Coordinates of all heavy atoms in Angstrom, one line a residue:
M1 N 79.8 114.3 106.1 CA 80.7 114.7 105.0 C 82.1 115.0 105.7 O 82.1 115.8 106.7 CB 80.2 116.0 104.3 CG 81.1 116.6 103.3 SD 81.2 115.5 101.8 CE 82.1 116.6 100.7
I2 N 83.1 114.4 105.2 CA 84.5 114.6 105.7 C 85.0 115.9 105.3 O 84.8 116.3 104.1 CB 85.4 113.4 105.3 CG1 86.8 113.5 106.0 CG2 85.5 113.3 103.8 CD1 86.8 112.8 107.3
S3 N 85.8 116.6 106.1 CA 86.3 117.9 105.7 C 87.8 117.9 105.5 O 88.5 117.1 106.1 CB 85.9 119.0 106.6 OG 86.2 118.8 107.9
R4 N 88.2 118.8 104.6 CA 89.6 119.0 104.3 C 90.3 119.6 105.5 O 89.7 120.5 106.2 CB 89.6 120.0 103.1 CG 90.9 120.4 102.5 CD 90.6 121.3 101.4 NE 91.8 121.7 100.7 CZ 92.6 122.7 101.1 NH1 92.3 123.4 102.2 NH2 93.7 123.0 100.4
L5 N 91.5 119.1 105.9 CA 92.2 119.7 107.0 C 92.7 121.1 106.7 O 93.0 121.4 105.5 CB 93.5 118.9 107.3 CG 93.3 117.5 107.9 CD1 94.7 116.8 108.1 CD2 92.5 117.5 109.2
S6 N 92.7 122.0 107.7 CA 93.3 123.3 107.5 C 94.8 123.2 107.3 O 95.4 122.1 107.6 CB 93.1 124.1 108.8 OG 93.9 123.6 109.8
E7 N 95.4 124.2 106.8 CA 96.9 124.2 106.5 C 97.7 123.8 107.8 O 98.6 123.0 107.7 CB 97.3 125.5 105.9 CG 98.5 125.4 105.0 CD 98.8 126.8 104.4 OE1 97.9 127.4 103.8 OE2 100.0 127.2 104.4
S8 N 97.3 124.4 108.9 CA 98.0 124.2 110.1 C 97.8 122.8 110.6 O 98.8 122.1 111.1 CB 97.7 125.2 111.2 OG 96.3 125.1 111.5
A9 N 96.6 122.3 110.5 CA 96.3 120.9 111.0 C 97.1 119.9 110.1 O 97.6 118.9 110.6 CB 94.8 120.6 110.9
R10 N 97.1 120.2 108.8 CA 97.8 119.3 107.9 C 99.3 119.3 108.2 O 100.0 118.3 108.2 CB 97.6 119.8 106.4 CG 98.1 118.8 105.4 CD 98.0 119.4 104.0 NE 99.0 120.5 103.9 CZ 98.7 121.7 103.5 NH1 97.5 122.1 103.1 NH2 99.7 122.6 103.4
A11 N 99.9 120.5 108.4 CA 101.3 120.6 108.7 C 101.7 119.9 110.0 O 102.7 119.2 110.1 CB 101.7 122.1 108.8
E12 N 100.8 119.9 111.0 CA 101.0 119.2 112.2 C 101.0 117.7 112.0 O 101.8 117.0 112.5 CB 99.9 119.7 113.2 CG 100.2 119.3 114.6 CD 99.2 119.8 115.6 OE1 98.8 121.0 115.4 OE2 98.8 119.1 116.5
A13 N 100.0 117.3 111.2 CA 99.9 115.8 111.0 C 101.1 115.3 110.2 O 101.6 114.3 110.4 CB 98.6 115.5 110.2
L14 N 101.6 116.1 109.2 CA 102.7 115.7 108.4 C 104.0 115.7 109.1 O 104.9 115.0 108.8 CB 102.8 116.6 107.1 CG 101.9 116.3 106.0 CD1 102.1 117.2 104.8 CD2 102.0 114.9 105.6
A15 N 104.1 116.5 110.2 CA 105.3 116.5 111.0 C 105.5 115.1 111.6 O 106.7 114.7 111.9 CB 105.2 117.6 112.1
A16 N 104.4 114.4 111.9 CA 104.5 113.1 112.4 C 104.6 112.0 111.3 O 104.7 110.8 111.6 CB 103.3 112.8 113.3
L17 N 104.6 112.4 110.1 CA 104.7 111.5 108.9 C 105.8 112.0 108.0 O 105.6 112.5 106.9 CB 103.4 111.4 108.1 CG 102.2 110.8 108.9 CD1 100.9 111.1 108.1 CD2 102.4 109.3 109.0
P18 N 107.1 112.0 108.5 CA 108.2 112.7 107.8 C 108.5 112.2 106.4 O 109.1 112.9 105.6 CB 109.4 112.5 108.7 CG 109.0 111.3 109.6 CD 107.5 111.3 109.7
Q19 N 108.1 111.0 106.1 CA 108.4 110.5 104.8 C 107.3 110.8 103.7 O 107.5 110.5 102.5 CB 108.5 108.9 104.8 CG 109.2 108.5 106.1 CD 110.1 107.4 106.0 OE1 111.0 107.4 105.1 NE2 109.9 106.3 106.7
W20 N 106.3 111.5 104.1 CA 105.2 111.9 103.2 C 105.4 113.4 102.8 O 105.7 114.2 103.7 CB 103.9 111.7 103.8 CG 103.5 110.3 104.0 CD1 104.0 109.4 105.0 CD2 102.8 109.4 103.1 NE1 103.5 108.2 104.8 CE2 102.7 108.1 103.7 CE3 102.1 109.7 101.9 CZ2 102.1 107.1 103.0 CZ3 101.4 108.7 101.3 CH2 101.4 107.4 101.9
Q21 N 105.3 113.6 101.5 CA 105.5 115.0 101.0 C 104.2 115.6 100.6 O 103.3 114.9 100.1 CB 106.3 114.9 99.6 CG 107.5 114.1 99.7 CD 108.6 114.8 100.5 OE1 108.7 116.0 100.4 NE2 109.4 114.0 101.2
W22 N 104.1 116.9 100.9 CA 102.9 117.7 100.5 C 103.0 118.0 99.0 O 104.0 118.5 98.6 CB 102.9 118.9 101.4 CG 101.9 120.0 100.9 CD1 102.3 121.3 100.6 CD2 100.5 119.9 100.7 NE1 101.2 122.0 100.2 CE2 100.1 121.1 100.3 CE3 99.6 118.9 100.9 CZ2 98.7 121.4 100.0 CZ3 98.2 119.1 100.6 CH2 97.8 120.4 100.2
D23 N 101.9 117.7 98.3 CA 101.9 118.0 96.9 C 100.8 119.1 96.7 O 99.6 118.8 96.7 CB 101.5 116.7 96.1 CG 101.4 116.9 94.6 OD1 101.2 118.1 94.2 OD2 101.6 116.0 93.9
A24 N 101.2 120.3 96.6 CA 100.3 121.4 96.5 C 99.5 121.4 95.2 O 98.3 121.8 95.2 CB 101.1 122.8 96.6
D25 N 100.0 120.9 94.1 CA 99.3 120.9 92.8 C 98.1 120.0 92.9 O 97.1 120.2 92.3 CB 100.2 120.4 91.7 CG 101.3 121.4 91.4 OD1 101.1 122.6 91.7 OD2 102.3 121.0 90.8
R26 N 98.3 118.9 93.7 CA 97.2 117.9 93.8 C 96.4 118.0 95.0 O 95.4 117.4 95.2 CB 97.8 116.4 93.8 CG 98.3 115.9 92.4 CD 97.2 115.7 91.4 NE 95.9 115.3 92.0 CZ 95.6 114.1 92.3 NH1 96.5 113.1 92.1 NH2 94.5 113.7 92.9
D27 N 96.8 118.9 96.0 CA 96.2 119.0 97.3 C 96.2 117.6 97.9 O 95.1 117.1 98.2 CB 94.8 119.6 97.2 CG 94.5 120.4 98.5 OD1 95.0 120.0 99.6 OD2 93.7 121.3 98.5
A28 N 97.4 117.0 98.0 CA 97.5 115.6 98.3 C 98.8 115.4 99.1 O 99.7 116.3 99.1 CB 97.5 114.7 97.1
I29 N 99.0 114.2 99.6 CA 100.3 113.8 100.2 C 100.8 112.6 99.4 O 100.0 111.8 98.9 CB 100.3 113.5 101.7 CG1 99.2 112.5 102.1 CG2 100.0 114.8 102.5 CD1 99.3 112.0 103.5
R30 N 102.1 112.5 99.3 CA 102.6 111.4 98.5 C 103.9 110.8 99.1 O 104.6 111.4 99.8 CB 102.9 111.8 97.0 CG 103.8 113.0 96.9 CD 104.2 113.1 95.4 NE 103.1 113.6 94.5 CZ 102.7 112.9 93.5 NH1 103.2 111.7 93.2 NH2 101.7 113.3 92.8
R31 N 104.1 109.5 98.8 CA 105.3 108.8 99.2 C 105.6 107.7 98.2 O 104.7 107.1 97.6 CB 105.1 108.2 100.6 CG 106.4 107.6 101.1 CD 106.3 107.0 102.6 NE 107.5 106.2 102.7 CZ 107.8 105.4 103.8 NH1 106.9 105.3 104.8 NH2 108.9 104.7 103.8
S32 N 106.9 107.5 98.0 CA 107.4 106.5 97.1 C 108.1 105.4 97.9 O 108.7 105.7 98.9 CB 108.5 107.0 96.1 OG 108.0 108.1 95.4
F33 N 107.8 104.2 97.5 CA 108.4 103.0 98.2 C 109.2 102.1 97.2 O 108.8 102.1 96.0 CB 107.3 102.1 98.7 CG 106.4 102.8 99.8 CD1 105.4 103.6 99.4 CD2 106.7 102.7 101.1 CE1 104.6 104.2 100.4 CE2 106.0 103.3 102.1 CZ 104.9 104.1 101.7
R34 N 110.2 101.5 97.7 CA 111.0 100.6 96.9 C 111.2 99.3 97.7 O 111.6 99.4 98.9 CB 112.3 101.1 96.5 CG 113.1 100.3 95.5 CD 114.5 100.9 95.2 NE 114.3 102.1 94.4 CZ 114.4 102.2 93.1 NH1 114.6 101.1 92.4 NH2 114.2 103.3 92.4
F35 N 110.9 98.2 97.2 CA 110.9 96.9 97.9 C 112.0 96.0 97.2 O 112.6 96.4 96.2 CB 109.6 96.2 97.9 CG 108.5 97.0 98.6 CD1 107.7 97.9 98.0 CD2 108.5 96.9 100.0 CE1 106.8 98.7 98.6 CE2 107.5 97.7 100.7 CZ 106.7 98.6 100.0
A36 N 112.2 94.8 97.8 CA 113.2 93.9 97.3 C 112.8 93.4 95.8 O 113.7 93.3 95.0 CB 113.3 92.7 98.2
D37 N 111.6 93.2 95.6 CA 111.1 92.7 94.3 C 109.6 92.9 94.1 O 109.0 93.5 95.0 CB 111.5 91.2 94.2 CG 110.9 90.4 95.4 OD1 110.0 90.8 96.0 OD2 111.5 89.3 95.6
F38 N 109.1 92.5 93.0 CA 107.6 92.6 92.8 C 106.8 92.0 93.8 O 105.7 92.5 94.2 CB 107.3 92.1 91.4 CG 105.8 92.2 91.0 CD1 105.3 93.4 90.7 CD2 105.0 91.0 91.2 CE1 103.9 93.5 90.4 CE2 103.7 91.1 90.9 CZ 103.1 92.3 90.5
N39 N 107.2 90.8 94.2 CA 106.4 90.0 95.2 C 106.2 90.8 96.5 O 105.1 90.9 97.1 CB 107.1 88.7 95.5 CG 106.2 87.7 96.2 OD1 105.1 87.5 95.8 ND2 106.7 87.2 97.4
A40 N 107.3 91.5 97.0 CA 107.2 92.3 98.2 C 106.3 93.5 98.0 O 105.5 93.8 98.8 CB 108.6 92.7 98.6
A41 N 106.5 94.1 96.8 CA 105.7 95.3 96.5 C 104.2 95.0 96.4 O 103.4 95.7 97.0 CB 106.2 95.9 95.2
F42 N 103.9 93.9 95.7 CA 102.5 93.6 95.5 C 101.8 93.0 96.8 O 100.7 93.2 97.0 CB 102.3 92.6 94.3 CG 100.9 92.7 93.7 CD1 100.6 93.7 92.9 CD2 100.0 91.8 94.1 CE1 99.3 93.9 92.4 CE2 98.7 91.9 93.5 CZ 98.4 92.9 92.7
G43 N 102.6 92.3 97.6 CA 102.1 91.9 98.9 C 101.7 93.1 99.8 O 100.7 93.1 100.4
F44 N 102.6 94.1 99.8 CA 102.3 95.4 100.5 C 101.0 96.0 99.9 O 100.2 96.4 100.7 CB 103.6 96.3 100.2 CG 103.4 97.7 100.5 CD1 103.4 98.2 101.8 CD2 103.4 98.6 99.4 CE1 103.3 99.6 102.0 CE2 103.3 100.0 99.7 CZ 103.2 100.5 101.0
M45 N 100.9 96.1 98.6 CA 99.7 96.7 98.0 C 98.4 95.9 98.4 O 97.4 96.5 98.6 CB 99.8 96.8 96.5 CG 100.9 97.7 96.1 SD 101.2 97.7 94.3 CE 99.8 98.7 93.7
T46 N 98.6 94.6 98.4 CA 97.4 93.7 98.8 C 96.9 94.0 100.2 O 95.7 94.1 100.4 CB 97.8 92.2 98.6 OG1 98.2 92.1 97.3 CG2 96.6 91.3 98.9
R47 N 97.9 94.1 101.1 CA 97.5 94.4 102.5 C 96.8 95.8 102.6 O 95.8 95.9 103.3 CB 98.7 94.3 103.4 CG 99.1 92.8 103.6 CD 100.2 92.6 104.7 NE 101.4 93.2 104.3 CZ 102.3 92.6 103.6 NH1 102.1 91.4 103.1 NH2 103.5 93.2 103.2
I48 N 97.3 96.7 101.9 CA 96.7 98.1 101.9 C 95.3 98.0 101.3 O 94.4 98.6 101.7 CB 97.6 99.1 101.2 CG1 98.9 99.3 101.9 CG2 96.9 100.4 101.0 CD1 100.0 100.0 101.1
A49 N 95.2 97.3 100.2 CA 93.9 97.2 99.4 C 92.8 96.7 100.3 O 91.7 97.2 100.4 CB 94.1 96.3 98.2
L50 N 93.1 95.7 101.1 CA 92.1 95.1 102.0 C 91.7 96.1 103.1 O 90.5 96.3 103.4 CB 92.6 93.8 102.6 CG 92.9 92.7 101.6 CD1 93.5 91.5 102.3 CD2 91.6 92.3 100.9
A51 N 92.7 96.8 103.7 CA 92.4 97.8 104.7 C 91.6 99.0 104.1 O 90.7 99.5 104.7 CB 93.7 98.2 105.4
A52 N 92.0 99.4 102.9 CA 91.4 100.6 102.3 C 89.9 100.3 102.0 O 89.1 101.1 102.2 CB 92.2 100.9 101.0
E53 N 89.7 99.1 101.5 CA 88.3 98.7 101.1 C 87.4 98.7 102.4 O 86.3 99.2 102.4 CB 88.3 97.4 100.4 CG 86.9 96.9 99.9 CD 86.2 97.9 99.0 OE1 86.8 98.8 98.5 OE2 85.0 97.7 98.8
K54 N 88.0 98.2 103.5 CA 87.3 98.1 104.8 C 87.0 99.5 105.3 O 85.9 99.7 105.8 CB 88.2 97.4 105.8 CG 87.5 96.6 106.9 CD 88.5 95.7 107.6 CE 87.9 94.9 108.7 NZ 88.9 94.0 109.3
A55 N 87.9 100.4 105.1 CA 87.7 101.8 105.6 C 87.0 102.7 104.6 O 86.7 103.8 104.9 CB 89.1 102.4 105.9
D56 N 86.7 102.1 103.4 CA 86.1 102.9 102.3 C 86.9 104.1 102.0 O 86.3 105.2 101.8 CB 84.6 103.1 102.6 CG 83.9 103.6 101.3 OD1 84.2 103.2 100.2 OD2 82.9 104.4 101.5
H57 N 88.2 104.0 102.0 CA 89.0 105.1 101.7 C 90.2 104.6 100.9 O 91.0 103.7 101.4 CB 89.5 105.9 102.9 CG 90.1 107.2 102.6 ND1 89.4 108.2 102.0 CD2 91.4 107.7 102.6 CE1 90.2 109.3 101.8 NE2 91.4 108.9 102.1
H58 N 90.4 105.0 99.6 CA 91.3 104.3 98.7 C 92.4 105.2 98.2 O 92.3 106.4 97.9 CB 90.4 103.9 97.5 CG 89.3 103.0 97.9 ND1 88.1 103.5 98.3 CD2 89.2 101.7 98.1 CE1 87.2 102.5 98.6 NE2 87.9 101.4 98.5
P59 N 93.6 104.6 98.1 CA 94.8 105.3 97.6 C 94.7 105.5 96.1 O 94.1 104.7 95.4 CB 96.0 104.4 98.0 CG 95.4 103.0 98.0 CD 93.9 103.2 98.4
E60 N 95.4 106.5 95.6 CA 95.8 106.6 94.1 C 97.2 106.1 94.1 O 98.0 106.6 94.9 CB 95.7 108.1 93.7 CG 94.4 108.7 93.8 CD 94.4 110.1 93.3 OE1 95.3 110.5 92.5 OE2 93.5 110.9 93.7
W61 N 97.4 105.1 93.3 CA 98.8 104.5 93.3 C 99.2 103.9 92.0 O 98.3 103.7 91.1 CB 98.9 103.5 94.4 CG 97.9 102.4 94.5 CD1 97.0 102.0 93.5 CD2 97.8 101.4 95.5 NE1 96.3 100.9 93.9 CE2 96.7 100.5 95.1 CE3 98.4 101.2 96.8 CZ2 96.3 99.5 95.9 CZ3 97.9 100.2 97.6 CH2 96.9 99.3 97.1
S62 N 100.5 103.7 91.8 CA 101.0 103.0 90.7 C 102.1 102.1 91.1 O 102.8 102.4 92.1 CB 101.4 104.0 89.6 OG 102.5 104.7 90.0
N63 N 102.4 101.1 90.3 CA 103.4 100.1 90.7 C 104.2 99.8 89.4 O 103.6 99.5 88.3 CB 102.7 98.8 91.2 CG 103.6 97.6 91.1 OD1 103.2 96.6 90.5 ND2 104.7 97.6 91.8
V64 N 105.5 99.8 89.5 CA 106.4 99.3 88.5 C 107.4 98.4 89.1 O 108.2 98.9 90.0 CB 107.1 100.5 87.8 CG1 108.1 99.9 86.7 CG2 106.2 101.5 87.1
Y65 N 107.3 97.1 88.9 CA 108.1 96.1 89.5 C 108.2 96.2 91.0 O 107.3 95.9 91.7 CB 109.5 96.1 88.8 CG 110.4 95.0 89.4 CD1 110.0 93.6 89.4 CD2 111.7 95.3 89.9 CE1 110.8 92.7 90.0 CE2 112.5 94.3 90.4 CZ 112.0 93.0 90.5 OH 112.8 92.0 91.0
N66 N 109.3 96.8 91.5 CA 109.5 96.8 93.0 C 109.2 98.2 93.6 O 109.4 98.4 94.8 CB 110.9 96.4 93.4 CG 112.0 97.3 92.9 OD1 111.7 98.1 91.9 ND2 113.1 97.3 93.5
R67 N 108.7 99.1 92.7 CA 108.4 100.5 93.2 C 106.9 100.7 93.3 O 106.1 100.2 92.4 CB 109.0 101.5 92.2 CG 110.5 101.6 92.4 CD 111.1 102.7 91.5 NE 111.0 102.3 90.1 CZ 110.3 103.0 89.2 NH1 109.7 104.1 89.5 NH2 110.3 102.6 87.9
V68 N 106.5 101.4 94.3 CA 105.1 101.8 94.5 C 105.0 103.3 94.8 O 105.7 103.7 95.7 CB 104.4 101.0 95.6 CG1 102.9 101.3 95.7 CG2 104.5 99.5 95.4
E69 N 104.2 104.0 94.0 CA 104.0 105.4 94.2 C 102.6 105.6 94.8 O 101.7 105.1 94.1 CB 104.1 106.2 92.9 CG 105.4 105.9 92.1 CD 106.6 106.7 92.7 OE1 106.4 107.7 93.3 OE2 107.7 106.2 92.4
I70 N 102.5 106.3 95.9 CA 101.1 106.5 96.5 C 100.8 107.9 96.7 O 101.6 108.7 97.2 CB 101.0 105.7 97.8 CG1 101.4 104.2 97.6 CG2 99.6 105.9 98.4 CD1 101.2 103.4 98.9
V71 N 99.6 108.3 96.3 CA 99.1 109.7 96.5 C 97.8 109.5 97.3 O 96.9 108.7 97.0 CB 98.8 110.3 95.1 CG1 98.1 111.7 95.3 CG2 100.1 110.5 94.3
L72 N 97.7 110.3 98.3 CA 96.5 110.3 99.2 C 95.8 111.6 99.2 O 96.4 112.6 99.5 CB 96.9 109.9 100.6 CG 97.6 108.5 100.8 CD1 97.9 108.3 102.3 CD2 96.7 107.4 100.3
T73 N 94.6 111.6 98.9 CA 93.7 112.8 99.0 C 92.3 112.3 99.1 O 92.0 111.1 98.8 CB 93.9 113.7 97.7 OG1 93.2 114.9 97.9 CG2 93.4 113.1 96.4
T74 N 91.4 113.2 99.6 CA 90.0 112.8 99.8 C 89.2 113.5 98.8 O 89.0 114.7 98.8 CB 89.6 113.1 101.3 OG1 90.5 112.5 102.2 CG2 88.1 112.7 101.5
H75 N 88.7 112.7 97.8 CA 88.0 113.3 96.7 C 86.7 114.0 97.2 O 86.4 115.1 96.7 CB 87.7 112.2 95.7 CG 88.9 111.3 95.3 ND1 89.0 110.0 95.6 CD2 90.1 111.7 94.8 CE1 90.2 109.6 95.2 NE2 90.9 110.6 94.7
D76 N 86.1 113.4 98.2 CA 84.8 114.0 98.7 C 85.1 115.3 99.4 O 84.2 116.1 99.5 CB 84.1 113.1 99.6 CG 83.7 111.8 99.0 OD1 83.6 111.7 97.7 OD2 83.4 110.8 99.7
A77 N 86.3 115.6 99.8 CA 86.6 116.8 100.6 C 87.5 117.8 99.8 O 87.7 118.9 100.2 CB 87.4 116.4 101.9
G78 N 87.9 117.4 98.6 CA 88.7 118.2 97.8 C 90.1 118.6 98.4 O 90.6 119.6 98.2
G79 N 90.7 117.6 99.1 CA 92.0 117.8 99.7 C 92.3 116.8 100.7 O 91.6 115.7 100.8
V80 N 93.3 117.0 101.5 CA 93.8 116.1 102.5 C 92.9 116.1 103.8 O 92.6 117.2 104.3 CB 95.2 116.3 102.9 CG1 95.7 115.4 104.0 CG2 96.1 116.1 101.7
S81 N 92.4 115.0 104.2 CA 91.5 114.9 105.4 C 92.2 113.9 106.4 O 93.2 113.3 106.1 CB 90.1 114.4 105.0 OG 90.2 113.0 104.8
E82 N 91.5 113.8 107.5 CA 92.0 112.9 108.6 C 92.0 111.4 108.0 O 92.8 110.6 108.5 CB 91.0 112.9 109.8 CG 91.3 113.9 110.8 CD 92.7 113.9 111.4 OE1 93.4 112.8 111.3 OE2 93.2 114.9 112.0
R83 N 91.2 111.1 107.1 CA 91.2 109.8 106.5 C 92.5 109.5 105.8 O 93.0 108.4 105.8 CB 90.1 109.6 105.5 CG 88.7 109.5 106.2 CD 87.6 109.1 105.3 NE 86.4 109.4 106.0 CZ 85.2 109.6 105.4 NH1 85.1 109.6 104.1 NH2 84.1 109.8 106.1
D84 N 93.1 110.5 105.1 CA 94.4 110.3 104.4 C 95.5 110.2 105.5 O 96.4 109.3 105.3 CB 94.7 111.5 103.6 CG 93.6 111.7 102.5 OD1 93.3 110.7 101.7 OD2 92.9 112.7 102.5
I85 N 95.4 110.9 106.6 CA 96.4 110.8 107.6 C 96.4 109.4 108.2 O 97.4 108.7 108.4 CB 96.2 111.9 108.7 CG1 96.3 113.3 108.1 CG2 97.2 111.7 109.8 CD1 97.5 113.6 107.3
A86 N 95.2 108.9 108.5 CA 95.0 107.5 109.0 C 95.5 106.5 108.1 O 96.2 105.5 108.5 CB 93.5 107.3 109.4
L87 N 95.2 106.7 106.8 CA 95.7 105.7 105.8 C 97.2 105.8 105.6 O 97.9 104.7 105.5 CB 95.0 105.9 104.4 CG 95.3 104.9 103.3 CD1 95.0 103.5 103.7 CD2 94.4 105.3 102.1
A88 N 97.8 106.9 105.7 CA 99.3 107.1 105.6 C 99.9 106.3 106.8 O 101.0 105.7 106.6 CB 99.7 108.6 105.6
R89 N 99.4 106.4 108.0 CA 99.9 105.7 109.1 C 99.9 104.2 108.9 O 100.8 103.5 109.2 CB 99.2 106.1 110.4 CG 99.4 107.5 110.9 CD 98.9 107.6 112.3 NE 98.8 109.1 112.7 CZ 97.6 109.7 112.8 NH1 96.5 109.1 112.7 NH2 97.7 111.0 113.1
L90 N 98.7 103.8 108.4 CA 98.6 102.3 108.1 C 99.6 101.9 107.0 O 100.2 100.8 107.2 CB 97.1 102.1 107.7 CG 96.6 100.7 107.5 CD1 95.1 100.7 107.8 CD2 96.8 100.2 106.0
I91 N 99.8 102.7 106.0 CA 100.7 102.3 104.9 C 102.1 102.3 105.5 O 102.9 101.4 105.1 CB 100.5 103.4 103.8 CG1 99.2 103.1 103.1 CG2 101.7 103.3 102.8 CD1 98.8 104.2 102.1
D92 N 102.5 103.2 106.3 CA 103.8 103.2 106.9 C 104.1 101.9 107.7 O 105.1 101.3 107.6 CB 104.1 104.4 107.8 CG 104.4 105.7 107.0 OD1 104.5 105.6 105.8 OD2 104.5 106.7 107.6
A93 N 103.0 101.5 108.4 CA 103.1 100.2 109.2 C 103.3 99.0 108.3 O 104.1 98.1 108.5 CB 101.9 100.1 110.1
A94 N 102.5 99.0 107.2 CA 102.5 97.9 106.2 C 103.9 97.9 105.5 O 104.4 96.8 105.3 CB 101.4 98.1 105.2
A95 N 104.5 99.0 105.3 CA 105.8 99.1 104.6 C 106.9 98.5 105.5 O 107.8 97.8 105.1 CB 106.1 100.5 104.2
A96 N 106.7 98.8 106.8 CA 107.7 98.3 107.8 C 107.7 96.8 107.8 O 108.7 96.1 107.9 CB 107.4 98.9 109.2
D97 N 106.5 96.2 107.7 CA 106.3 94.8 107.7 C 106.9 94.1 106.4 O 107.2 93.0 106.4 CB 104.8 94.4 107.8 CG 104.2 94.7 109.1 OD1 105.0 95.0 110.1 OD2 103.0 94.7 109.2
A98 N 106.8 94.9 105.3 CA 107.2 94.3 104.0 C 108.7 94.3 103.8 O 109.1 93.7 102.8 CB 106.5 95.0 102.9
R99 N 109.4 94.9 104.7 CA 110.9 95.0 104.4 C 111.6 93.9 105.1 O 111.1 93.2 105.9 CB 111.4 96.4 104.9 CG 110.9 97.4 103.9 CD 111.9 98.5 103.8 NE 111.5 99.4 102.7 CZ 110.6 100.4 102.8 NH1 110.0 100.6 103.9 NH2 110.3 101.1 101.7
Ligands
H2B101 C1 81.0 106.1 97.8 C2 82.3 106.0 98.6 O1 82.0 105.9 99.9 C3 83.2 107.1 98.3 O2 83.3 107.3 96.9 C4 84.6 107.0 98.9 C5 85.4 105.8 98.4 N1 86.8 106.0 98.6 C6 87.4 107.2 98.6 N2 88.7 107.4 98.6 C7 89.3 108.6 98.6 N3 90.6 108.6 98.6 N4 88.5 109.7 98.7 C8 87.2 109.6 98.7 O3 86.5 110.7 98.7 C9 86.5 108.4 98.7 N5 85.2 108.3 98.7

């Protein structure tokens, strides 16, 4: 069973992910992305979807044309875990490729 990070561990992990915001209401981290167009946004989502399925850890997200909103939390842990931090790093790398 994966466990929720302590407040200090989460703060330390987020210091290295400056574009991700802590959402206390959701016990989650979130980031918004904007791409050139829908094709770039959906390509980005497709790459994340394949990696997420492989890792069996899935984002909560929504897409409107060129914008993608992503929320990461671990349902099994009731908060942010190492899996969310790992997925956030992967998402940042995918975003860098999509621009
Ligand atoms: C059965 C399956 O392994 C679990 O439901 C996985 C799937 N993907 C998941 N994704 C996220 N974000 N949190 C989870 O707790 C989770 N659990």
Side-chain angles (χ1 to χ4, degrees):
M1 177 74 169
I2 185 89
S3 56
R4 182 180 183 276
L5 292 179
S6 69
E7 207 174 311
S8 61
R10 191 192 67 232
E12 194 175 320
L14 281 183
L17 293 167
Q19 322 218 55
W20 291 80
Q21 310 288 322
W22 165 239
D23 180 338
D25 291 340
R26 285 295 325 279
D27 208 333
I29 57 174
R30 57 169 68 242
R31 184 176 168 189
S32 303
F33 296 87
R34 187 181 290 266
F35 297 95
D37 53 22
F38 177 78
N39 193 53
F42 205 77
F44 164 74
M45 294 176 78
T46 302
R47 288 188 290 277
I48 294 166
L50 297 174
E53 183 59 12
K54 209 168 180 177
D56 193 31
H57 192 67
H58 304 87
E60 296 180 22
W61 57 9
S62 64
N63 159 242
V64 178
Y65 181 54
N66 64 339
R67 287 183 290 118
V68 182
E69 308 282 335
I70 303 184
V71 174
L72 301 180
T73 189
T74 301
H75 310 119
D76 297 341
V80 174
S81 75
E82 275 301 342
R83 286 186 194 159
D84 300 303
I85 302 304
L87 185 53
R89 289 194 194 108
L90 186 150
I91 289 170
D92 281 356
D97 290 345
R99 287 211 171 84

